[in-house]
Amino acid sequence: MSEMQTTRRGRPGYDQQGILDVAVAAFNEHGYDATSIGKLAERLGLSKSAIYHHFASKDDILDRALDAALSGLEAVVDDPLPLTDGGRAPDAVARLEHVLRGAVHVLVSQLPAVTLLLRVRGNTDVERRALTRRRAFDRRITALVGEAQAEGSLRSDIDAAVVARLTFGMINSIVEWYRPGGREGADRLADDVVAIALDGLRRR
Amino acid sequence: MSEMQTTRRGRPGYDQQGILDVAVAAFNEHGYDATSIGKLAERLGLSKSAIYHHFASKDDILDRALDAALSGLEAVVDDPLPLTDGGRAPDAVARLEHVLRGAVHVLVSQLPAVTLLLRVRGNTDVERRALTRRRAFDRRITALVGEAQAEGSLRSDIDAAVVARLTFGMINSIVEWYRPGGREGADRLADDVVAIALDGLRRR
């Protein structure tokens, strides 16, 4: 019995990232408030102190999960496109398309962490910091849409902030229904999002 | 003191719909599980039995709120478009546009109830029945998209179910950021959604 516990406590496969993955799944399934460190430890087959070896607190786990999702999305906007064949800087609509595709890829590859991020309501300092970063991200998207409107690539009869919200509403909805291994991969889904948002569904 | 309580209990303004509105706001704010009938009664300044006069249970309140949101959305798909000027039945793309506009109006006019509906995860019989109706609604949208693709009005290189999900993802996201009395009214927002989904953002 004592030996089994030792085995359980010492069982491999739960490094920091492994604990984070299980915690995020539990937060999404049962809610952050309803998931205690004790319940997490049970789910992992670890002692609480084994979790505290990797994370200072439950809030710290949430913080790192939200940071992973936000860093992924921010990296997409930070990622510069190469110069065009003609040696010019890519125009704003090309950068926007690049961002939309990149965001779909982040959602698909980090589905649980982004799901958690999208449910954050600002109840704690950690959540409020995450919301601040989300709003900064939204402002960068709005600015990029505004640039593309100003350069004449995008219709300018829709408010840039509304465009940013509706377009990312479409992208964020992927967490509601996308399941890895389904019919569409991330590349195909990114094509679909770009096709609808930029070119529309109507055949002409 | 006793008189104040009488006044509180008897205060006007809380018919069945009034109680429902306050309950939906509380469910959205604190979560359904965390909102007891006792807390609701406190928030309303009513006795619990005054609530039970109108509703059989907390589940019954949820049931009616979800029914209001679902009935509103279903009515949009049921609503027939008038014949065209030429006396023909409207084509599928016109019906789809009508549904997208109508759905935006339902979201804006019933923001709290639709917010509640979109958070339902199927934890109870009431929630599972609501999810079944949501899925039936989604299938009708997918079928309508398929019809519009078959008639040649919509591009058919995107799976109809994915079109339905992404388009309603965009519409449903409105509950995340729309605030009544903001810069855009429902008509304008419906125009924006139709413009992006059907015609795309790219200027040509």
Side-chain angles (χ1 to χ4, degrees), chain A residues 155 157 188 198 202-203, chain B residues 153 157 188 197-198 201-202:
Chain A
R155 56 192 300 158
D157 57 341
R188 179 61 203 270
L198 295 188
R202 209 189 302 270
R203 177 175 279 167
Chain B
S153 326
D157 57 342
R188 179 60 204 270
L198 295 188
L201 292 164
R202 207 189 303 270

Side-chain angles (χ1 to χ4, degrees), chain B residues 16-17 19-21 23-24 27 32 35-37 40 48-70 113 116 124-127 129-130 133:
Chain B
Q16 192 178 53
Q17 184 62 47
I19 295 174
L20 200 55
D21 291 345
V24 169
F27 294 161
Y32 177 73
T35 310
S36 65
I37 290 281
L40 269 184
K48 290 207 254 181
S49 64
I51 296 177
Y52 286 124
H53 175 71
H54 291 289
F55 298 95
S57 61
K58 195 174 84 161
D59 236 29
D60 184 33
I61 302 179
L62 180 65
D63 198 17
R64 298 212 208 174
L66 298 178
D67 177 63
L70 284 160
L116 192 61
T124 62
D125 278 348
V126 165
E127 291 197 3
R129 278 202 303 275
R133 281 173 74 181

Side-chain angles (χ1 to χ4, degrees), chain A residues 71-92:
Chain A
S71 299
L73 289 167
E74 288 160 358
V76 163
V77 189
D78 289 333
D79 182 34
L81 270 182
L83 297 182
T84 65
D85 289 344
R88 286 181 305 114
D91 54 14

